[in-house]
Structures are given as structure tokens and as C-alpha cells.
Amino acid sequence: PSRAAKVLMVGAGGIGCELLKTLALSGFSDIHVIDLDTIEVSNLNRQFLFRKSHVGQSKAHVARDAILKFRPNINIESHHANVKDAQFNVDFFKQFNVVLNGLDNLDARRHVNRLCLAAEVPLVESGTTGFLGQVTVHVKGKTECYECQPKPIPKSYPVCTITSTPSKFVHCIVWAKELLFAKLFGDKNQDNDLNVHSKDGSSSKLDVFERDVDEDLDQYAQRIYDHVFGYNIEVALENEETWKNRRRPNPVYIRDTLPEAVKQNGSSWDCSNDHEEPSAMASLGLTNPQEIWTLAENSRVLLEAFKLFFEKREKEIGNLVFDKDDQLAVEFVTAAANIRAHSFGIPLHSLFEAKGVAGNIVHAVATTNAIIAGLIVIEAIKVLQDDYKNYRMTYCLEHPTKKLLLMPVEPFEPNPSCYVCSETPLLLDVNTKVTKLKEVIDKIIKSKLGMNLPLVMIGSTLVFEDGDGLEEDEAANYALNLEKVLAELPAPVINGTKLTVEDFQQELSCSINIKHREEFDEEKEPDGMVLSGWSAPVEKQINSNGENKSAASSSSARATDDTVEDPSKPGMKRKLDELLETKENCDASSSAQVVEDDDDCTMLDGNPALIKKKRLQ
Amino acid sequence: LAPTSASREQLHAREGGVAIPHLVPLPLLGRSHRRETTASAAMAAAAAAAEPKTKYDRQLRIWGDQGQAALEKASICLLNCGPTGTEALKNLVLGGIGSVTVVDGSKVEQSDLGNNFLLDEGCLGQSRAKSICSFLQELNDAVKAKYVEESPATMIDTNPSFFSQFTVVLATQLPESSLLKLDSICRSANIVLVAARSYGLTGLVRVSIKEHCVIESKPDHSLDDLRLHNPWPELKQFAKSIDICDKDPVVHKHTPYIVILVRLAEKWADAHDGQLPSTRQEKREFKDLIRAHMLNVDEDNYKEAVESSYKVSVTPGISDEIRQIIDDSSSEVNFSSSDFWVLVASLKEFIANEGNGELPLEGTIPDMTSLTEVLCKLTKDLPS
């Protein structure tokens, strides 16, 4: 079957390289590859089709060239593009016999899932994190689609934990990244929760973070330092209630941590070297990223990094977004997070660890990807042969359970209440008098429902459309509608109204019934709206006779004593998900909490930037 | 004191890192506190140290510096570099293994092409080992890739001492007769042997290695055995000192679950002839007993007690597995015994003396819902 098949591979990274190799060696000769990324040094420990000399080039193209070297007579078409681009529409997908995913984010996976459903092409999904991995098969009508089981959403933190009461290092990192770094170097028009008022109101400025005209850089840096680590903490301490049951933070001032710096105004450390990347660590002679710096060292790094941004990268200020590959940004965030951690009695971390947390770096190794790639091809062959009774979801574990390192599980039937592959309407609780259409689109339609270019209709009235090719007056009209509260839209949205939401490209359409509610819990429902109606499926497996059996709910109860369930029974799937969702045993430096990926293929994924930003605002 | 949920993090110091015996971390990658005094020297050092750190970043986050050092100190011998061997070496080379030596006597033939991703048409007729090595070298120039153009069977027969220089011998597609000879060579030289064969969609991997020590620094299932089925005197006293029937809802919902279990286990034993729940039915009834004590539905401590109720049903004394180790002849130690067996010997003595037939306690307490002050007292009450 492999010779005749036309295969689409989405992703040419960790899994992609191994997969392309395995496909080629297994006789596949008609392959398309899509990947938007370019090659980075940190890829080279596992993405073996790439060399140092390829850094900066397109993964899709280089992968293709590398494979053709040992299999010159096969067809590989490489696309250096985003799979969400309009060119990859349903017609494009329809030409393939099977689609194989090697992606690193939930967003793209959902998008591909919808296109595969629309094109009626089977999808083999996969993901890896360190030594864990999985391969799953999704065939419309026969098995669950990728979205039948809700995927875990990435962890986000309540605003007050970040701004006032951090208790873990990751809270300090988020503060340093999303508040301090963003405030100083990012878009000035973004809302930011940092306290901008100064101590004595003596300065006429509204925003204490603004640099005074002709203010000396050293002085500016120290002033900001004292403001965020000293003054803001003192202000927070004034609220007794907050600290009744919590350890009180210690304000930190530059005069205490770096007394000599205060006197040395105007002279900076030796940074006269004009090498490529300005680095505070290099200027200060700190060479080991795995070393945990003292409070004084962190303070020096912070001030130095601060100054280097202004001295060497001034043009970028106002536009910077944190990037884990931006050495200076990582140094800045590490130092800031550490100083804050010190205040709050949280253990400090090395740059290496901090970078992992701040950059949501996922640990990765070649072997797991090789195993998963092999399993993908095995499932792909079954799919091509229509061998549906033998489709398996295979989980690659770190330690053998019941002597198995690879656990095959039969796929489940489609979830009848999955809004993606069936037709169930959803329910949205929202305050229609106060909530703007824009918020519903951002928080629900694009974010939770994963639509890329949605269209919103109420009855026959089109209130919003996204995409190119809009007329000027249409676009203006939609822009106006975005700012209107639901109840005041041209077709008013009130209790009981039904919204129809569509994404043409994904060929996904669903209905949302509106329920008007006035009160929302700030902590539990911070979005001010709640989407429901998408329930977890009753576990029905297709057994080897092709019959369906439902799981009795008692058999899927989690065992509280140590018996491990048989992998072929239902309920095992849930147990596996629980097993796979714990990440404690993953990293060597136990303190780093790796949240989800940014770089390579994982199972537990999400779009951190999207969700975290929204939490904080 | 207002009630708080105390957690393990706040009470215990961080654990140390993984201890791998016999290996010394390379200075370049180890934790170093030496500082260069001039900025330019610092930059050069930073640049030199940075590159492997960047390249290996994602795997360093799995096994850390010491794991990486272990890899870089190791030398691998591959016998037969067909697709199986090549695939294995690819992974090791990418990861930064110290050196690889390929032993393969064959030349690259037509049948190798398209079958082995490290060979292309230009290699036809050349030594397969040599071709593989040069491709491997491209994958990672930090690895020393060498080859010997010789058939593995011949090497095994005529030059067994060749193998003693390696850490691991990876034997692929070798017949059993060769493997048997190789195994005894490796065992006597204390080298790890990994034998692999693959046929179509099936394959086999066997590891042959002498007894060695593996330290699980972060076990998945920590036993947190407080020996609830046979509490030591101070714990019994402590449990007695707490009134589990205190109607105050705050106090009631913060009684540590181990206290609940100790008290209720005692209550059960009193009503059952000194026996603790053992049959399935009894265990269920015991859980019901715990639930009957709940004042209201959101008491986490009682939920914890129900979840951990099986701990009182643990068979007393020492498990068979541990008994087997203790009774092993290696526990009669002498000056050449390994650390592990010395520890076993001491354990054996403890059980016979202070332990009274029981194992020592772990000395830590698990996370549980409680009042801070209660937890602190509990920690103090642990036997030293």
C-alpha cells in the first residue's frame, strides 16, 4: 500500500525528521511536508536531518533534501508555510490518503483535525515529551476525532497570585515576563497590572516607569529596581488582610543589595565588546548558566541587562516580546524573577532552569521520536489497508507497566456530543448587557473553539466575518459590531438567542445557545463567560469483533489499591491519561516546572501566550 | 493560628541530585564556581561552553549534567552496521556519546541502498563501516567515530581482548553462537552487552549486564509508610491526644488523615479480635466506617483517609522481596563488598535488633491536609 499512497506530513521537527526517514525507508514515495519553522541549534540533538550549517534555513526544505540523498527517486514536496494558511484548504487535504501530524501545539492540531474531517481523510496524530509519547488514529465516523476528548488546557494563574502573592518560582517568572519585561520593553499600549504610581507623588509623571528626560541610565535602572522590588512591596504590605496567613515579603532596595552601585553612578561594567549578542552575563563574567546566582549577582545582572537593552537595542524597545532564544531577555527575566523570589522566600533558580520555565521548554530526545515515528507508520499502513479492527492508540511509557513499555489501546467511537465531529449545540453563559462581541470572539470562538477565521451569524444576519477579501464598508461594519455589547448588536443577542458560528476553511459550523447571566465568580470564572455542553464521552470501544461495548461506569473507577487495570479494558484510557498528565518525574532539575511546549512535538500542549496574556488582562 | 494546608515543600529540604557511582563529571559541564576575571576571557569561555549546552539543552533537561557526562565518557562498540545498528548509533551519536567504533567487514552493496539512511550511491563498493562512520561524524563532530573492517564473528573468535576498551557492546544481527561467546567475554570484562535482532516488523533486544546498583532518586510511588497497621508508641500517643470527635468543624476537617486511620484502625481491631481489615468486604466496611465519621462532604482529610485506608491492611513484617535480599549470601559482607550490600547488612542487623522484626521508618511524612501546628508536632514525634 505504501507505494501508491499520497501522504501529508505536518511538521518536520523532532517527530517529522524521524517520520520522513521511516516513510522513505518503508517505501512511501509521494510525500508532502509542511513546516513553518527554521532550524535552530537546540534542534540538533535529535532532528538529525539538519546540520549546524543549516541553522536558519527552512526545516521542510532541508528535510526534503536530506532524504532525497539516500532515496533520490521519491517525490517529496516541501512547503515552508503555516498549515493554517488558506492555501491548505479542504481541496488540498482531499488529495491525500492519510495525514500524519508531527506538530507542537494544540491550535494547529485542532485546525488539521477539522480539515481532515471535512476532507474525510484519516489522521494519525502523535506527540512526545521526553521519554513519553503517543500515537492516535482518527478516522471520521469510525473513531473519535482529535477533539472528541477535551484536551487539557495550559495552566494559567490568577492575576493576584502573579501581582501580589506569588508562592512558586513560576509565578515570579510570569511576573517578570508578562509584567516587568512587557512594561519596560514591550508595547506601551498594552494593559499592564504593575503599579505605576510613585512613592510621594513628587514626580509629575503619571507613570513612574517612564524615563525622565536626560535621566542617567544607571539612575533610571536603580529607580525602577527600587520601585518594583522595594516600594511596591511596601505598598502591598500595607494590606494586612493579605498577609494574615501568608509569609510577609521583604522589600528589597538597591542600597542594600548593591551598596557600591549606588555610588558608582555613570560608570558601567565593561561592556565595550561589540560582539554579536549583548549579554549581561558575559559583561559580568558569569559563565555558568546552571549556577544559581546570589541576590547581589542577580541584581547586577538585572541592572546590566536593563542598561544593555537601552544602550545596544534601543530601537527594539517598545516592540519587544519575550523570546526564550533572546539571551538578554532571558537574563533579564531570570534576574527579575529571582529578586522577586528572594523577597517572597521562594528558592532562587539558575538561568538554565528559569529559561525552561519562562520559555515553556519541553525536554526532548531522539529515541522517543524514533519510536513514535515507527508507530505512526505502522498505523498509517493499517489505515491505508482499511484494517480498522486493528487500529490502535499506542502510548509509549517511561517505565514498563505490567511489563509493557508500549501500551496499545483500542480507539473509542466518536463522541456523540463532540461539537466538532457531531452536531451538538453549545451553551454560553454570558452577560449580554455588558459583554462586547469582541470578547466572545476572542475568548470563546477563537480561543476555546479554535476557529481561525470565524463568521458569526444571528439568524440570517451576519454580524462578523474574518479574513481577506472583505469590502471596506463590510470591514468597517464588523469593526463597529466588535465594540458593541451583545444586546445591542444589529440583531440583538439576548437570553435564548442562538448564534451560528462557522469557519469556512475548517468547514466547521456550530451553534451556541446564549443564556444571559449577570454574576460571574472572579476567581473561578475570570473570563466573565462560561461555555458548556461539550461533555466527556461515555467510553465505548470497538472490540475485535467489530461490536461496540459500553463501559460500565463502575469498572472505570480508579483503583485505590495498587492493582493496575488491564490495558484492553475501558477506563484504562482514562488511567493512561492521568499517568501521562503527571510530569513530576520528567526533569533533572526538580525545581523547574515545565508547563508545555514551544519547540517540539508533545502530547500535552496549548498556546501559552494566548491564554496567559488573557488571564492577566 | 489560622488553619493552613502545609505541604512537603515547606517542611523538608530539597533532595539532592542523582548519584551515579564511578563517574566523574567533566569540568566543562559540571557545576563550576570559578570565575574568569576579565570579560573577554569570560566571553571565550562562555562561547565554548555555550555551544554544547545549546545543542544538548533539551536532553540536559531530562538527565542533567551528570547524565550528559556519563554519556560523554562512554565508548560504544557496534557489531554490524546494518539498518538496526545504524539507527541505534544515530541516537547515541546525536546525544553526544564519547566514541563509537563500528566493526563490520562488509562492503556497501546495492541492497544496502535505500535501506539505510546513512548510505547513498556514492558509497557503493566501499567499506560499509567506513561509510557509516563518516556520516555519523557529520551528525555530531564532538563524537569520535572509528571503524574496524572486520567481521564481528572473526573478531570475537580471534581477538576477544579488543572488547575490553568499551563501556557497551552493541551486537546487532549476530547468530546465537557468536552471542554466547561474546557474552562470556563481556561478562568477564564487566562490560554491558546489548544484543539486538530485527526481522520485518518484529524485533528483539536483550541486555546482559552483571549485578549493578541503580538509585531511584525520584521514585514514582513513594511508600510513605508510617506503618499505620502497627504504629510506634509516640505516634499512638500522638493519635490518642487528638480528639477525632471534636465537633468544631475547623478542627474536625484538619485532623491529619494518619491520625484518623490510626484511631479508627484501633477501633476496628477492638471490635474484630485484634485483627485489621483484610478481606475485600472488610476493607469496604472500614472505608464506610471512616465515611461515617465525616461531618460534612468537603472534608479533604477524610477523603485522604478513605483513599489511604488500604495502608492499614498491609501485611505486617517484611515483604518477600526484601526477605530475599536480606537472606542472600552477599549480605555476609567483607571488605570487598559493594556499598549496596553493606547497607543491606546493616539493615539486617537493625531488623534483628532495634527494629524488632520491622523495617525502619522512612522518617518523613507525606502531604496531608492539616493545621500547621499539628504537622510540626507530628514531625517532631517521628522516631529518630
Side-chain angles (χ1 to χ4, degrees), chain A residues 233-283:
Chain A
I233 304 291
E234 309 236 26
V235 166
L237 282 168
E238 283 164 15
N239 185 346
E240 283 294 330
E241 190 58 39
T242 315
W243 310 109
K244 231 169 72 170
N245 300 325
R246 291 190 180 92
R247 178 199 181 283
R248 306 174 85 84
N250 308 319
V252 171
Y253 289 98
I254 203 81
R255 58 177 183 258
D256 304 317
T257 56
L258 292 179
E260 73 279 11
V262 180
K263 298 172 200 141
Q264 250 176 5
N265 259 340
S267 78
S268 56
W269 308 94
D270 175 19
C271 56
S272 54
N273 313 285
D274 259 335
H275 67 115
E276 289 154 20
E277 229 193 310
S279 156
M281 275 175 73
S283 306

Side-chain angles (χ1 to χ4, degrees), chain A residues 202-238:
Chain A
S202 62
S203 70
S204 49
K205 293 204 296 272
L206 281 171
D207 185 345
V208 77
F209 285 87
E210 266 179 49
R211 187 179 181 180
D212 294 330
V213 174
D214 288 338
E215 183 175 15
D216 173 77
L217 197 49
D218 273 298
Q219 218 173 333
Y220 178 37
Q222 292 177 20
R223 183 165 66 75
I224 298 297
Y225 183 107
D226 281 348
H227 177 79
V228 297
F229 299 120
Y231 175 66
N232 277 351
I233 304 291
E234 309 236 26
V235 166
L237 282 168
E238 283 164 15

Side-chain angles (χ1 to χ4, degrees), chain A residues 364-384:
Chain A
V365 71
T367 44
T368 318
N369 289 334
I371 295 171
I372 293 303
L375 292 169
I376 293 173
V377 174
I378 288 177
E379 292 303 316
I381 292 175
K382 290 179 199 170
V383 162
L384 292 168

